[in-house]
Amino acid sequence: MEKLQLVALIQAYTGVGIGLMVGLGALGACVGVGIMCSRFLEGAARQPEMIPALQAKVFLLLGLIDASFIIGLGSACSSRSPTRCSARWAAR
């Protein structure tokens, strides 16, 4: 294969990988938030006096789950730059 075709193939696979990374990260975050909130509602229904303590923990964990997805999104976006560098290298 020619260098330019290899670079195009790498860029295509990188795009597919980034899409999978972002999509599966979003799916995992949504499923995690859904499970956690359902457990919070179950716990609040069983022991209503524990709602303030449980609510603080739920909001803290919601932030952590969303932060992990945002970190994955940032790493996916930053992984796109090496292919640009390799395209510049192949053009030389």
Side-chain angles (χ1 to χ4, degrees):
M1 284 187 149
E2 193 178 314
K3 277 187 182 181
L4 193 58
Q5 287 176 338
L6 287 175
V7 170
L9 191 63
I10 290 171
Q11 287 179 341
Y13 287 148
T14 302
V16 170
I18 289 171
L20 285 172
M21 188 176 187
V22 171
L24 292 176
L27 178 70
C30 290
V31 168
V33 167
I35 290 172
M36 182 181 59
C37 289
S38 71
R39 300 294 184 211
F40 166 71
L41 290 175
E42 286 177 11
R46 286 185 189 149
Q47 294 181 334
E49 67 273 2
M50 293 292 293
I51 289 176
L54 291 174
Q55 191 174 20
K57 291 176 184 170
V58 164
F59 284 130
L60 175 68
L61 290 173
L62 278 172
L64 290 174
I65 290 171
D66 286 340
S68 67
F69 169 67
I70 292 171
I71 289 170
L73 181 66
S75 67
C77 290
S78 68
S79 70
R80 189 74 176 144
S81 61
T83 58
R84 289 186 187 139
C85 294
S86 63
R88 284 188 213 128
W89 175 78
R92 290 184 183 174

